[in-house]
C-alpha cells in the first residue's frame, strides 16, 4: 500500500481503519464478504443491499460484522458476515447495552457492585489469582 501523508490520512478511510487495528487489506476483505460471498444480500435475513428492507422498509446498506471475535484484527473470513443494519445491531445489542451502561456510570461517577471486569483483567483490589 502507498505511503500516506498526513493530509491523505484525513480523507482515507483505509488509513483510519488500519490505525484502529484492522488489517491493511480490510477494504478488500469487507468487499469480498459483502459482494462476492454474500452476493449483495444479508447473510442472516436475506435483505438485498441498496433495496428496501423486507421487514422495516428502510434502505439496506450491508456492513461487514465480526461474528465470533469482535477484535478488528480478527478478520478471518470465517469470523466475518455481511449483515444489514438490523441484523448487525441485533447481533451487537448486548455489547452496546453494556457499553452504554458503563459509559453512563463513568459519567456520573458511579461504581457498580455488579460490574464484570474486562476479560483478562483481575478484579479491582485483587491479584487475579484464585484464593488459597
Amino acid at each position: 500500500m502507498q505511503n500516506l501523508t498526513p493530509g491523505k490520512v484525513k480523507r482515507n478511510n483505509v488509513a483510519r481503519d488500519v490505525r484502529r487495528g484492522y488489517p491493511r487489506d480490510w477494504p478488500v476483505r469487507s468487499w469480498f464478504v459483502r459482494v462476492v460471498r454474500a452476493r449483495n444480500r444479508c447473510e442472516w435475513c436475506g435483505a438485498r443491499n441498496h433495496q428496501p428492507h423486507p421487514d422495516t422498509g428502510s434502505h439496506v446498506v450491508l456492513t461487514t460484522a465480526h461474528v465470533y471475535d469482535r477484535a478488528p484484527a480478527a478478520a478471518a473470513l470465517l469470523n466475518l458476515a455481511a449483515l444489514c443494519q438490523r441484523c448487525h445491531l441485533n447481533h451487537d445489542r448486548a455489547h452496546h447495552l453494556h457499553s452504554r451502561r458503563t459509559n453512563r456510570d463513568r459519567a456520573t461517577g458511579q461504581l457498580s457492585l455488579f460490574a464484570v471486569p474486562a476479560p483478562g483483567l483481575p478484579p479491582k483490589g485483587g491479584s487475579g489469582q484464585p484464593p488459597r
Side-chain angles (χ1 to χ4, degrees):
M1 184 170 218
Q2 65 185 358
N3 188 6
L4 300 172
T5 63
K8 288 185 180 180
V9 169
K10 291 179 184 175
R11 295 185 304 253
N12 190 327
N13 290 339
V14 174
R16 182 192 66 217
D17 290 342
V18 168
R19 280 185 281 137
R20 289 185 179 165
Y22 287 86
R24 280 185 134 351
D25 66 344
W26 174 252
V28 175
R29 289 179 196 222
S30 177
W31 173 84
F32 178 83
V33 168
R34 289 178 287 115
V35 177
V36 177
R37 187 175 81 189
R39 295 190 173 117
N40 272 321
R41 286 182 172 268
C42 176
E43 291 183 292
W44 289 1
C45 74
R48 288 184 158 281
N49 198 17
H50 302 299
Q51 300 294 320
H53 194 282
D55 295 335
T56 65
S58 63
H59 180 80
V60 172
V61 177
L62 286 182
T63 59
T64 303
H66 290 79
V67 181
Y68 303 107
D69 185 351
R70 280 194 162 71
L77 294 178
L78 292 176
N79 186 44
L80 303 176
L83 302 180
C84 66
Q85 305 96 304
R86 181 179 186 207
C87 290
H88 200 156
L89 286 171
N90 283 335
H91 171 63
D92 290 345
R93 182 178 313 278
H95 175 73
H96 289 294
L97 289 173
H98 182 271
S99 296
R100 184 182 330 160
R101 201 172 299 123
T102 302
N103 291 336
R104 181 195 61 223
D105 291 347
R106 275 192 198 130
T108 60
Q110 296 295 312
L111 297 176
S112 173
L113 293 174
F114 306 106
V116 177
L121 295 177
K124 273 209 167 217
S127 65
Q129 300 296 320
R132 294 185 180 171

